[in-house]
Amino acid sequence: MQYSSPTKLYDAYVFDQDGTIYLGDHLLPGAKRLIEGLRKLGKPVRFLSNNPTKDPQDYVEKLERLGIPAPLSEIANTVVTTTRWLKAHYPDATVFPISEEPLKKALREAGIKMSENPEEIDIVIASYDRTFDYRKLQIAFDAIWFHKRAFLITTNPDRYCPFPGGRGEPDAASIVAAIEACTGTKLKANMGKPEPAMLEAALGDLDVDPANCMMVGDRLHTDIGMAVNTGMASALLLTGDSTAEEAEALDPAHQPTYVLDRIDHLIPDDIRAQWGWSDSDED
């Protein structure tokens, strides 16, 4: 684990978004020029998110507003990975999504059948759902425990979604926990970070070896954990959730390759010096 800039460039760069590229509605220092610099060097970039409450097009529009144009092909979130996984493995299944509208829209568009009838449900999808209530829990309970026909998956394993200022709100893991507690079942599959499926979705259209690519994020469990699970280099940004002390406390096999306090330090020192970059510069 190095507390300094990488000394080489990688073949492709995969970025978490909130806490890494931006925080809330504000770009983090160095993010804009970092992405522009990588594109200048001909390095592909991809943007990931574990947030299933947004359509991928929402991220395109947000990055555009923040001054980082990105085509839809560069975006992958758990709406994308969940839908792809279901189409690939259970195309005829009937699902009950405990989720917000973006995932339901994607499921409809993919032709995946949805139902709230426990006698028809094959798969319960626990997601980030700010409308979660006892009625939805009862449907999941009946489908899994009473009828003994459904199994449980989740879009993402996050305990909470961070907000600017240190606040947050419960995320999908809280809904998974409620269903597991009352049914005695265990989660069968996770569609988000740290599972390699997210990186496979992000890098699938590129002719690159993941071992020569870099995952960049602010969370040890999800972002860095996914890089470790996939055999990728990783950089922990100290601009969001996890701290350097937490990284240091991990077993060396699970530590990030680099720990950085600014995202533009991903560019090696000699190239930044050649370009005349200074940490005091504004994007």
Side-chain angles (χ1 to χ4, degrees), residues 97-204:
I98 302 175
S99 74
E100 299 193 5
E101 182 56 29
L103 178 59
K104 294 175 184 177
K105 175 186 173 187
L107 293 171
R108 283 194 297 270
E109 291 176 349
I112 296 170
K113 184 180 177 182
M114 292 180 282
S115 175
E116 293 190 348
N117 181 349
E119 296 182 17
E120 298 177 349
I121 297 166
D122 302 306
I123 303 172
V124 174
I125 308 173
S127 188
Y128 184 171
D129 184 1
R130 289 163 291 192
T131 66
F132 182 57
D133 58 14
Y134 199 86
R135 182 188 70 87
K136 294 181 181 181
L137 182 61
Q138 183 71 60
I139 293 170
F141 176 83
D142 287 344
I144 295 171
W145 185 85
F146 182 70
H147 292 290
K148 302 189 187 307
R149 59 172 289 131
F151 62 85
L152 177 65
I153 69 171
T154 187
T155 54
N156 58 297
D158 300 270
R159 293 180 296 110
Y160 67 94
C161 180
F163 290 165
R167 191 171 167 269
E169 66 184 10
D171 206 326
S174 59
I175 297 173
V176 169
I179 295 170
E180 287 184 334
C182 67
T183 63
T185 195
K186 291 296 180 184
L187 188 70
K188 181 169 182 175
N190 161 39
M191 301 298 111
K193 299 178 283 185
E195 293 303 308
M198 281 290 285
L199 282 174
E200 292 167 5
L203 298 174

Side-chain angles (χ1 to χ4, degrees), residues 2 19-20 45 72 80 94 137 151-152 172 182 198 205 241 252 267:
Q2 300 181 40
T20 301
V45 298
L72 192 60
V80 174
T94 297
L137 182 61
F151 62 85
L152 177 65
C182 67
M198 281 290 285
D205 63 331
D241 183 70
I267 300 291

Side-chain angles (χ1 to χ4, degrees), residues 7 37 45 48 66 86 126 131 138 162 164 186 223 226-227 233 248 254 258:
T7 57
V45 298
L48 300 187
L66 294 174
L86 289 168
T131 66
Q138 183 71 60
K186 291 296 180 184
D223 302 319
M226 181 171 60
E248 194 71 52
H254 295 91
Y258 305 96

Side-chain angles (χ1 to χ4, degrees), residues 44-81:
V45 298
R46 295 292 184 267
F47 302 95
L48 300 187
S49 176
N50 259 10
N51 188 341
T53 67
K54 295 183 182 296
D55 186 280
Q57 182 62 36
D58 294 334
Y59 290 105
V60 171
E61 295 169 3
K62 179 166 187 173
L63 289 168
E64 175 76 33
R65 289 196 305 272
L66 294 174
I68 303 179
L72 192 60
S73 60
E74 291 184 353
I75 309 293
N77 74 337
T78 51
V79 168
V80 174
T81 54

Side-chain angles (χ1 to χ4, degrees), residues 14-58:
V14 182
F15 295 94
D16 173 55
Q17 294 185 74
D18 205 352
T20 301
I21 298 292
Y22 52 76
L23 191 60
D25 292 320
H26 301 281
L27 276 180
L28 287 164
K32 184 171 185 282
R33 72 176 182 182
L34 179 275
I35 300 301
E36 291 173 346
L38 290 175
R39 287 176 170 156
K40 177 180 176 181
L41 292 165
K43 301 297 181 181
V45 298
R46 295 292 184 267
F47 302 95
L48 300 187
S49 176
N50 259 10
N51 188 341
T53 67
K54 295 183 182 296
D55 186 280
Q57 182 62 36
D58 294 334

